[in-house]
Amino acid sequence: MRISIQHLTKVFPSRTKGGKAVHAVEDMNIEIPSGQLVGLLGPSGCGKSTTLFMLSGLETATSGKILFDDQDVTTLAAEKRGVGLVFQNYALYPHMTVQQNIRFPLDNMRINREEGNARALDAARLVQIEDLMARKPHELSGGQQQRVAIARALVKMPNVLLLDEPLSNLDARLRLQTREEIKRIQRTTGITTVFVTHDQEEAMSICDIMVVMKLGVVQQIGAPQHIYDDPNNLFVANFLGTPPINIFKGKIQGGKAYIGEEAVGDAPYGDREVYVGIRPEGFIYNPQGALTLNVDHIEVMGRDKSVVSTHESSTKPTVRSIIDSDVALPEGAEQLKFDIKPYKLFLFDAETEERLR
Ligand SMILES: Nc1ncnc2c1ncn2[C@@H]1O[C@H](COP(=O)(O)OP(=O)(O)O)[C@@H](O)[C@H]1O
Ligand SMILES: [Mg+2]
């Protein structure tokens, strides 16, 4: 199933008299090819859930259109859309067994018990919980409960699977494992899937296409690696990457980008104030290098080391540079100089915060 989102907008009226309406989603346009796993990524309150609810039919759009293949589903009732939904809190029925929970949507459709059980078992196998069918939710771990919720969403064989922060209630290890699992299930079934998260690592690791949102407005759409390597604006550059990108106040003068008085790269744009973004992996140690950092300490992490330093033009308390562990750095140096890899350096107009390209 292809999904086409066209000028989709959701405005919630103000909750208080004379208060401001909330523009939860603003003129969203996304084309999702069939069988893709799409991640909606952005900070809390940026409109991810609202988008998902409009896709599912639980929320009506203020304006704009949603197409599933060529069918306009914008005003179609939720139960007619063929979507499976999974939420952050698994929302299982506590008094029902795993089998009954998974079968529940089929019971509602008056599918007979025998076929219901067979399909529930298929769905349970897909998420690898077929041995847990007789248990009640309280006898399961969080990860297992979330798998039951996913099986329940899959049992109707939906055309579209919608997942709203499905991993956020799991501990770190389970989160990692379950996200691999979701990726595998999505690949196996080929169901077009929209996955909502505020966790950039999660989105980067499992999505085919990532949609970065801020305050209801799409900032960038593309393959995760592409967005990381080629961010549209300061917000996107900042949002992606661990450790995050380093940002300095700087300027462009005569075709060069400056941080303080040091020229750190070419800048074939007009003179102006800029933010200079440098990814942590963008530093090359060089005693005659372009940029001088005041070293605070060095963390050795096996494969590489992290130089934690400060710089008066940095917009963040510390500057992080990740250096290969086999690069020898002088012991106890108070300052170190680095050259900057040009493709790891991004310039943003200081006014608009848009990327200069
Ligand atoms: N039913 C509602 N009534 C009024 N405002 C809402 C409602 N649901 C969400 N909002 C507002 O819309 C914005 C987007 O919310 P949401 O889609 O839940 O964000 P996210 O899922 O990205 O955290 C927020 O400002 C939120 O407060
Ligand atoms: Mg949400």
Side-chain angles (χ1 to χ4, degrees), residues 106-176:
L106 301 180
D107 293 349
N108 269 348
M109 291 160 68
R110 304 194 187 291
I111 286 173
N112 74 54
R113 185 58 55 91
E114 203 174 327
E115 188 188 338
N117 283 342
R119 281 172 60 178
L121 184 61
D122 283 343
R125 283 203 179 111
L126 204 54
V127 300
Q128 297 174 341
I129 51 164
E130 65 271 28
D131 299 336
L132 307 174
M133 293 299 251
R135 296 211 196 160
K136 297 271 179 70
H138 73 268
E139 298 168 309
L140 303 175
S141 72
Q144 290 168 334
Q145 290 185 47
Q146 194 54 297
R147 286 172 195 225
V148 177
I150 295 170
R152 187 178 55 185
L154 291 172
V155 77
K156 282 186 294 182
M157 296 184 246
N159 298 313
V160 175
L161 182 62
L162 305 174
L163 305 159
D164 194 354
E165 312 232 9
L167 309 179
S168 49
N169 281 346
L170 306 180
D171 66 43
R173 204 177 50 86
L174 260 180
R175 197 152 59 220
L176 218 68

Side-chain angles (χ1 to χ4, degrees), residues 29-319:
N29 296 284
I30 311 174
E31 296 297 325
I32 303 175
S34 184
Q36 297 271 291
L37 203 174
V38 175
L40 293 185
L41 173 69
S44 172
C46 73
K48 305 180 295 294
S49 293
T50 305
T51 304
L52 214 63
F53 290 166
M54 287 192 281
L55 288 173
S56 71
L58 295 179
E59 192 71 81
T60 57
T62 305
S63 59
K65 266 192 198 174
I66 300 167
L67 307 187
F68 286 178
D69 283 341
D70 293 322
Q71 189 192 6
D72 186 338
V73 299
T74 317
T75 57
L76 193 68
E79 63 276 11
K80 295 197 176 140
R81 291 193 190 191
V83 301
L85 253 178
V86 177
F87 297 102
Q88 162 178 349
N89 54 349
Y90 331 114
L92 301 178
Y93 300 104
H95 58 284
M96 292 187 193
T97 63
V98 167
Q99 184 190 45
Q100 289 166 333
N101 264 287
I102 299 175
R103 206 184 56 211
F104 185 76
L106 301 180
D107 293 349
N108 269 348
M109 291 160 68
R110 304 194 187 291
I111 286 173
N112 74 54
R113 185 58 55 91
E114 203 174 327
E115 188 188 338
N117 283 342
R119 281 172 60 178
L121 184 61
D122 283 343
R125 283 203 179 111
L126 204 54
V127 300
Q128 297 174 341
I129 51 164
E130 65 271 28
D131 299 336
L132 307 174
M133 293 299 251
R135 296 211 196 160
K136 297 271 179 70
H138 73 268
E139 298 168 309
L140 303 175
S141 72
Q144 290 168 334
Q145 290 185 47
Q146 194 54 297
R147 286 172 195 225
V148 177
I150 295 170
R152 187 178 55 185
L154 291 172
V155 77
K156 282 186 294 182
M157 296 184 246
N159 298 313
V160 175
L161 182 62
L162 305 174
L163 305 159
D164 194 354
E165 312 232 9
L167 309 179
S168 49
N169 281 346
L170 306 180
D171 66 43
R173 204 177 50 86
L174 260 180
R175 197 152 59 220
L176 218 68
Q177 194 186 333
T178 313
R179 90 183 180 203
E180 296 306 317
E181 195 71 350
I182 288 176
K183 180 92 192 163
R184 182 185 63 76
I185 294 162
Q186 198 273 333
R187 284 264 177 278
T188 318
T189 57
I191 298 178
T192 310
T193 300
V194 183
F195 181 100
V196 161
T197 178
H198 63 271
D199 180 331
Q200 55 94 19
E201 261 188 290
E202 200 169 286
M204 296 270 292
S205 67
I206 72 166
C207 297
D208 301 311
I209 304 173
M210 201 160 72
V211 179
V212 185
M213 296 178 68
K214 173 193 174 189
L215 293 172
V217 179
V218 171
Q219 305 292 303
Q220 193 161 1
I221 303 176
Q225 190 65 46
H226 173 82
I227 299 182
Y228 181 83
D229 289 335
D230 198 14
N232 278 347
N233 59 39
L234 188 62
F235 173 83
V236 173
N238 246 321
F239 203 73
L240 301 186
T242 353
I245 192 167
N246 302 293
I247 307 283
F248 302 86
K249 284 197 163 135
K251 61 173 187 257
I252 295 176
Q253 213 168 33
K256 297 270 177 206
Y258 287 85
I259 297 174
E261 298 307 311
E262 296 179 306
V264 290
D266 290 333
Y269 318 104
D271 291 1
R272 75 190 83 196
E273 304 286 305
V274 290
Y275 289 108
V276 180
I278 305 176
R279 292 273 181 218
E281 68 276 22
F283 296 80
I284 304 167
Y285 172 62
N286 175 359
Q288 279 81 49
L291 180 67
T292 311
L293 297 176
N294 304 307
V295 179
D296 187 77
H297 64 280
I298 296 175
E299 293 168 7
V300 181
M301 302 179 298
R303 198 170 26 145
D304 38 40
K305 46 194 161 193
S306 173
V307 181
V308 182
S309 45
T310 59
H311 190 286
E312 62 176 14
S313 299
S314 172
T315 63
K316 302 175 185 182
T318 58
V319 177

